[in-house]
Amino acid sequence: MTDIVERPQGVASRGAALGVHATEEAQKRLKRRYASEWRFRAYGLTAILISITALAVLLWSIVGQGYTAFTATTMSLTVTVDPALADPGGKRAQDDLRTGDFQGIARAGLRSVFPDVKERSDLRALYTILSNGASDAIRDRVLDNPALIGQQITVRIPVASDYDMYAKGFAAKTPKGGESRLSPKQIAWFETLKADGKIHSSFNIWFLTSGDSRQPELAGVGGAIIGSLLTLAITLAIAFPLGVMAAVYLEEFAPKNRWTDLIEVNINNLAAVPSIVFGLLGLAVFLNVFGLPRSAPVVGGVVLALMSLPIIIIASRASLRAVPPSIRQAALGLGASRVQVVTHHVLPLAMPGILTGTILSMAHALGETAPLLMIGMVAFIVDIPSGATQAATVLPVQIYLWADSPERGFVEKTSAAIMVLLAFLLAMNAIAIFLRKKFERKW
Amino acid sequence: MLATDTQTAAAPHAAHGKRVKMKATEVEVYYSEKRALNKINLDVREHEVTALIGPSGCGKSTFLRTMNRMNDVIDGCRMAGKILLDQQDIYDPNIDVVQLRARVGMVFQKPNPFPKSIYDNVAYGPRIHGLVRSREETDAVVQKSLERAGLWKEVKDRLHEGGTSLSGGQQQRLCIARAIAVDPEVILMDEPCSALDPIATAKIEELIDELRTNYTIVIVTHSMQQAARVSQRTAFFHLGDLVEVGDTAQIFTNPNDERTQGYITGRFG
Ligand SMILES: Nc1ncnc2c1ncn2[C@@H]1O[C@H](COP(=O)(O)OP(=O)(O)O)[C@@H](O)[C@H]1O
Ligand SMILES: [Mg+2]
């Protein structure tokens, strides 16, 4: 600052022989300039380091908590399929088998491993190792092959969440004063099974393929993944064509007047509207007026499409505008009609940019929670949806639901579901970057 | 003023007896409310090169664009007056713009090949106008157009490489080949050499002279020498007026208007 004031004096006192840029003061000025440039770079570097650290801590805590959810503790249980329990009627009809007492069969199998446990309360404590999944696994085997009735079979079943947590070493972390979830007896039984080689730890494919459950050991993100895919498919099918057509019309055909200015301003404003407002709109219009089903991907997809539409329009217009006017002139000058100019030249050249924008907006929609809560996608849904009108949940809502659950088993599930969501987001961004790099064009 | 314009425009026409290909009468162009051209009267004769010269912003490009209605796509651009192409008003509502631009082609200031192959650049026009039916026909049109544009020898082995990979001068000749391929009657060129080096410029000038036998050419140029070299007739524009039009030799040696004199001597001296 001050050197501006000082300079005239400097110039006056200096001999004519020395140029303004060769004096000692000039050296000082230069030094100051370098120092300030160095500081500027240091600020930038610090900012980047802080961001990277924050990101690393975030990822570390999520992965650190969540990776265990990808392994499951299972138990080999040998049971005798007692006809009296499995099929009391003796008709071997599928419907009868479905209602058979397979829990009883599983319990009997467990009792046979621990013949010494006789006390009623002890037995009840022993049974807690059996997850609901145990009777389901046996039932499925028997339904597949009714000839197994009366025979001895061995099934691999997930152990109940508390034991799973114990096996993964989380029980030790029970807060002081808080009661341990497992009694010393239960732990001893579990250790016995482990010593017998009946406890295994394996990749938890179940987590990726099954729907939600009240039991943490049975809960999976499969339903949420399918729900998310269905929802996004509908979002894409609606928002992409509408957005591109709107952008093409506004950019290539619409006259520039007050009306199109108004539309432009409104589109920009819509892009800034909080997403929950779109949820309220969906609730008011699609559920209350049109009576579409609650919690359905079709409604969620439409709501997210409305939300993505302005983003896609803005991205598409930007990449249409990036196509140089000289290309349009060249085609027009050859006698191409305006539609031909757009379909033959402008749109193909703008497509990579449009697709990049669309994918990023889809990634945005994939992570969106608030508007879906408004239209009832927050329900507890066990079945994996098989159509867009069935009740479903989506990944971020599933995370929200699990994060709210008190059971210790859901903590790792929450983080693991976040990991799955992040994996999808990363994949989508990677595709967007790939498209951009692949079709990047220099004019 | 207006009377002299019309006279200078009309007199040599009668003397030469060459057919008038395009005729502009009382052409005015407005951008929103701003008038860019005042009552232009100009004849463009068949198989001649007509050069439009004048200082920047005097409306040369604007006038050129009225001749194939490229002004239509500019928002707020309005025009009055008449332009005839073979006695037919090109602003008649019955005229199809697409058809018109096939008859009156255009080459732009900056070479603007499509980001496609050389072959596809040239084949594009014939394809959209349905002039070619088979692969062989297309091949023939592409070859003929590139030959006429003097580019065939240089690119015949790389027809399927990108048009944008060529040098600037080659790109401009590719654009000329692309315009020729639709078999136009008139070719409009807006400063086609302003982005090129002297050698490429010389090639294009040579090409323009050859093209004259088959086409009618209107060229906007900033270079007086270029106008003198390639054109038979020259029109001098100034601030939206057509000041003077006449045989190129006469305009450069013995202009009638002192503004023309001033512009020409100012540039040369
Ligand atoms: N698209 C346009 N919108 C508004 N004014 C324009 C447009 N194009 C040209 N003009 C104006 O019209 C006048 C003539 O321009 P132009 O025909 O490009 O001149 P030249 O080609 O002789 O340099 C200039 O004053 C210019 O500012
Ligand atoms: Mg110009």
Side-chain angles (χ1 to χ4, degrees):
Chain A
M1 298 294 135
T2 48
D3 51 2
I4 295 170
V5 186
E6 282 165 15
R7 242 178 80 176
Q9 299 168 350
V11 170
S13 64
R14 217 180 293 122
L18 274 178
V20 194
H21 301 293
T23 57
E24 220 166 273
E25 261 174 61
Q27 291 298 322
K28 257 192 233 160
R29 280 201 301 274
L30 202 59
K31 230 183 231 167
R32 253 193 311 231
R33 199 167 88 195
Y34 281 141
S36 87
E37 277 180 20
W38 184 88
R39 273 199 305 277
F40 187 79
R41 263 187 289 179
Y43 295 150
L45 207 61
T46 317
I48 289 179
L49 280 179
I50 291 174
S51 328
I52 289 181
T53 316
L55 191 67
V57 168
L58 182 78
L59 281 180
W60 178 256
S61 75
I62 289 172
V63 174
Q65 281 194 349
Y67 79 98
T68 47
F70 290 97
T71 57
T73 311
T74 52
M75 171 171 68
S76 299
L77 186 64
T78 306
V79 296
T80 310
V81 187
D82 185 352
L85 288 174
D87 188 18
K91 286 200 286 277
R92 300 287 187 270
Q94 292 269 318
D95 280 344
D96 290 349
L97 289 178
R98 241 179 271 277
T99 54
D101 182 11
F102 292 95
Q103 192 180 34
I105 294 175
R107 285 181 174 176
L110 191 61
R111 272 202 308 274
S112 67
V113 182
F114 297 101
D116 304 341
V117 183
K118 292 265 164 33
E119 199 92 14
R120 223 179 140 76
S121 62
D122 281 350
L123 278 173
R124 211 176 301 133
L126 178 63
Y127 294 153
T128 57
I129 197 171
L130 289 172
S131 145
N132 280 5
S135 49
D136 293 343
I138 301 169
R139 181 184 296 118
D140 287 347
R141 283 281 290 276
V142 172
L143 280 173
D144 263 2
N145 180 10
L148 291 178
I149 293 176
Q151 301 198 359
Q152 210 175 46
I153 58 172
T154 302
V155 287
R156 204 41 96 107
I157 54 176
V159 301
S161 181
D162 289 336
Y163 295 84
D164 182 38
M165 288 295 108
Y166 170 79
K168 287 172 180 169
F170 291 125
K173 291 178 196 151
T174 314
K176 264 203 193 120
E179 212 172 298
S180 174
R181 304 271 309 170
L182 298 178
S183 70
K185 264 189 193 163
Q186 288 171 316
I187 291 174
W189 291 326
F190 184 75
E191 290 297 343
T192 313
L193 283 169
K194 205 169 171 183
D196 288 352
K198 294 209 160 104
I199 299 293
H200 322 274
S201 173
S202 56
F203 179 67
N204 193 358
I205 188 74
W206 187 254
F207 178 68
L208 293 176
T209 56
S210 68
D212 199 4
S213 167
R214 293 277 183 225
Q215 274 74 45
E217 75 275 10
L218 298 179
V221 290
I225 289 176
I226 300 293
S228 272
L229 290 181
L230 284 171
T231 308
L232 273 196
I234 288 178
T235 305
L236 186 66
I238 294 173
F240 180 70
L242 280 185
V244 173
M245 292 316 280
V248 165
Y249 181 78
L250 285 174
E251 206 51 45
E252 305 289 329
F253 295 100
K256 304 277 170 286
N257 59 26
R258 212 178 304 168
W259 290 111
T260 44
D261 282 350
L262 191 73
I263 291 175
E264 167 139 29
V265 168
N266 274 311
I267 289 172
N268 290 337
N269 282 341
L270 273 183
V273 166
S275 56
I276 196 156
V277 176
F278 288 101
L280 283 170
L281 176 90
L283 174 65
V285 176
F286 300 122
L287 299 192
N288 295 348
V289 177
F290 293 132
L292 289 171
R294 285 184 148 267
S295 316
V298 63
V299 182
V302 173
V303 167
L304 291 180
L306 290 180
M307 198 195 74
S308 317
L309 203 51
I311 302 171
I312 293 182
I313 293 178
I314 290 171
S316 305
R317 290 187 71 179
S319 64
L320 286 169
R321 223 172 295 149
V323 175
S326 65
I327 297 293
R328 296 180 181 83
Q329 286 179 351
L332 281 174
L334 282 174
S337 66
R338 289 176 80 170
V339 172
Q340 284 175 326
V341 172
V342 170
T343 53
H344 295 170
H345 300 282
V346 179
L347 210 46
L349 291 175
M351 207 32 98
I354 293 176
L355 289 180
T356 305
T358 305
I359 292 171
L360 293 183
S361 81
M362 286 300 113
H364 189 111
L366 175 63
E368 198 54 72
T369 324
L372 301 180
L373 302 187
M374 285 292 117
I375 56 151
M377 282 189 106
V378 69
F380 169 73
I381 288 146
V382 177
D383 294 325
I384 293 181
S386 59
T389 51
Q390 289 189 340
T393 190
V394 294
L395 273 170
V397 173
Q398 186 68 76
I399 291 167
Y400 169 81
L401 286 171
W402 284 349
D404 233 18
S405 304
E407 289 92 339
R408 179 65 186 78
F410 278 121
V411 174
E412 61 165 23
K413 303 281 171 190
T414 307
S415 292
I418 293 174
M419 285 163 71
V420 172
L421 181 60
L422 283 180
F424 274 102
L425 292 176
L426 281 180
M428 289 168 89
N429 285 344
I431 294 172
I433 291 171
F434 171 77
L435 279 176
R436 197 158 50 212
K437 287 275 172 250
K438 173 135 197 236
F439 295 103
E440 206 168 43
R441 214 178 261 288
K442 303 258 184 296
W443 300 101
Chain B
M1 176 65 248
L2 223 157
T4 31
D5 277 0
T6 328
Q7 272 165 21
T8 45
H13 159 56
H16 277 261
K18 275 202 177 171
R19 213 165 76 81
V20 173
K21 185 71 187 172
M22 293 189 84
K23 184 180 185 67
T25 335
E26 305 282 289
V27 169
E28 299 207 315
V29 175
Y30 299 83
Y31 290 111
S32 303
E33 288 316 305
K34 197 176 132 254
R35 184 154 68 178
L37 286 179
N38 313 319
K39 302 224 188 297
I40 306 294
N41 292 288
L42 180 69
D43 290 350
V44 172
R45 297 203 210 119
E46 202 164 33
H47 301 308
E48 274 193 357
V49 177
T50 304
L52 311 182
I53 61 170
S56 268
C58 65
K60 306 178 297 290
S61 300
T62 302
F63 181 70
L64 199 70
R65 284 198 298 265
T66 58
M67 298 176 72
N68 71 343
R69 297 184 54 175
M70 284 292 278
N71 279 335
D72 287 15
V73 292
I74 298 177
D75 269 324
C77 183
R78 206 152 51 74
M79 105 120 199
K82 245 188 193 170
I83 293 183
L84 303 183
L85 171 65
D86 291 340
Q87 326 303 329
Q88 200 180 18
D89 186 359
I90 63 170
Y91 283 85
D92 189 291
N94 294 327
I95 283 278
D96 183 51
V97 187
V98 166
Q99 205 81 42
L100 170 71
R101 294 195 188 126
R103 294 176 65 190
V104 184
M106 195 158 193
V107 175
F108 298 84
Q109 182 166 355
K110 230 183 95 208
N112 56 356
F114 300 126
K116 299 174 188 265
S117 71
I118 294 170
Y119 184 96
D120 286 336
N121 261 282
V122 181
Y124 181 68
R127 277 181 187 146
I128 58 169
H129 291 292
L131 302 180
V132 286
R133 307 221 174 281
S134 62
R135 182 80 202 187
E136 292 72 44
E137 273 177 39
T138 317
D139 287 348
V141 168
V142 168
Q143 177 168 357
K144 197 186 86 188
S145 309
L146 285 169
E147 275 168 357
R148 283 206 177 161
L151 196 59
W152 176 250
K153 285 206 193 91
E154 289 157 67
V155 301
K156 65 170 188 280
D157 298 322
R158 42 192 285 209
L159 287 176
H160 295 283
E161 283 174 31
T164 43
S165 68
L166 297 171
S167 76
Q170 288 174 322
Q171 286 191 14
Q172 195 61 298
R173 277 181 283 150
L174 175 62
C175 293
I176 293 175
R178 184 176 66 184
I180 293 172
V182 290
D183 217 2
E185 297 156 39
V186 182
I187 302 176
L188 310 174
M189 300 185 174
D190 194 348
E191 301 188 32
C193 301
S194 68
L196 306 182
D197 63 72
I199 295 173
T201 301
K203 278 199 178 147
I204 303 260
E205 286 180 6
E206 212 174 292
L207 172 61
I208 291 171
D209 204 47
E210 285 167 24
L211 291 176
R212 183 159 65 91
T213 45
N214 291 306
Y215 308 96
T216 303
I217 293 170
V218 183
I219 179 171
V220 172
T221 173
H222 253 103
S223 149
M224 231 79 59
Q225 292 96 318
Q226 185 168 69
R229 280 194 297 265
V230 301
S231 73
Q232 284 69 55
R233 300 237 301 156
T234 298
F236 173 62
F237 282 72
H238 184 71
L239 296 175
D241 288 313
L242 172 57
V243 174
E244 189 170 354
V245 53
D247 285 347
T248 300
Q250 178 249 316
I251 293 283
F252 281 99
T253 53
N254 186 20
N256 289 327
D257 196 288
E258 56 190 46
R259 283 173 290 178
T260 320
Q261 176 84 31
Y263 182 68
I264 290 168
T265 51
R267 272 301 173 103
F268 286 143

